[in-house]
Amino acid sequence: MTTHDLPTSTIDIVGGGIGGLVTALSLHEHGYDVVVHESVEQVQPLGVGINLLPHAVRELDALGLLDTLEASAVTPNTLAYFTAHGQSIWDEPRGRAAGYNWPQLSIHRGTLQMILHDAALQRLGPERVITGHHLVDVVSDDSGAVHVEDIDPEGANAGVDFKEGDELVSVAGARVRHRGLGGAEAAVVRTLRHARGEETGGEDEDPVVHVE
């Protein structure tokens, strides 16, 4: 896709976790206008240790984050199993030692989250990483205009208005209800179901989309 082919619409990412931030950074890298909406008021480094396999690290390297990740992670070269008495059962090389071009990284989930969050703040701008916004509903009027209902940090009703051609991607396990499919709203629902790997059908589908 060339620069002149890029849409002028905004892509709103619902969910500022690992999936949402990587999606936002990748789209931004390709020239798209992106806004991230996250439910929690303050993003914190929560979670436990996780392993990033080489195919995942490849995508993060493409975003220019490999050096930062390696500085905060352990790089295992071998996966091994032992008996309770320390006798070797089985082992195999991992990451670069196994012939991959990228390493396997063992990192705390919260550390990964904050690296991605800091990158999004720097690249997208803090005004485009919005916290305290919780997705509630997706509705449209007779003209086809779409309004995404959410809750602002004070608990009051807020929202994001969509024009024809705008896109919404949910990666937050949100339950999204839609009414009167048509125009931009139909595109919203197709985007949500594509994120789930589901086939999209006609207007008689169940009016609830659940994105895990």
Side-chain angles (χ1 to χ4, degrees):
M1 178 178 288
T2 60
T3 302
H4 66 271
D5 292 324
L6 293 175
T8 58
S9 57
T10 298
I11 299 177
D12 285 75
I13 308 293
V14 178
I18 292 172
L21 291 171
V22 170
T23 300
L25 289 169
S26 296
L27 289 169
H28 178 265
E29 187 78 9
H30 286 83
Y32 290 89
D33 181 32
V34 183
V35 178
V36 177
H37 302 265
E38 167 55 40
S39 288
V40 300
E41 184 104 27
Q42 182 177 0
V43 177
Q44 299 182 22
L46 304 177
V48 296
I50 60 175
N51 281 300
L52 300 176
L53 300 183
H55 58 276
V57 175
R58 176 188 62 189
E59 302 304 320
L60 297 171
D61 184 24
L63 295 174
L65 298 173
L66 181 56
D67 289 344
T68 303
L69 289 168
E70 285 191 297
S72 301
V74 174
T75 307
N77 294 316
T78 304
L79 173 64
Y81 291 89
F82 297 86
T83 69
H85 302 289
Q87 297 169 314
S88 177
I89 299 174
W90 172 82
D91 65 79
E92 70 171 13
R94 309 294 282 184
R96 290 192 176 108
Y100 292 100
N101 292 325
W102 293 270
Q104 176 173 320
L105 299 179
S106 299
I107 189 171
H108 191 280
R109 184 209 169 276
T111 301
L112 173 60
Q113 167 93 8
M114 297 314 297
I115 289 173
L116 295 171
H117 185 256
D118 291 344
L121 289 175
Q122 181 180 11
R123 300 179 190 186
L124 277 64
E127 74 283 356
R128 306 193 81 70
V129 182
I130 304 171
T131 58
H133 275 197
H134 178 69
L135 178 66
V136 175
D137 204 358
V138 179
V139 298
S140 66
D141 57 26
D142 293 338
S143 68
V146 172
H147 184 75
V148 177
E149 300 287 347
D150 62 17
I151 300 174
D152 66 19
E154 284 71 42
N157 289 332
V160 178
D161 290 314
F162 279 70
K163 63 181 181 295
E164 193 75 33
D166 281 359
E167 296 285 349
L168 174 72
V169 178
S170 176
V171 290
R175 197 165 184 80
V176 183
R177 298 184 181 278
H178 57 85
R179 294 188 285 273
L181 288 182
E185 186 178 9
V188 167
V189 174
R190 285 196 300 272
T191 301
L192 290 169
R193 288 193 167 158
H194 178 71
R196 269 189 87 185
E198 294 183 351
E199 295 184 1
T200 56
E203 297 183 1
D204 294 330
E205 294 178 321
D206 185 325
V208 176
V209 178
H210 186 206
V211 181
E212 296 292 348

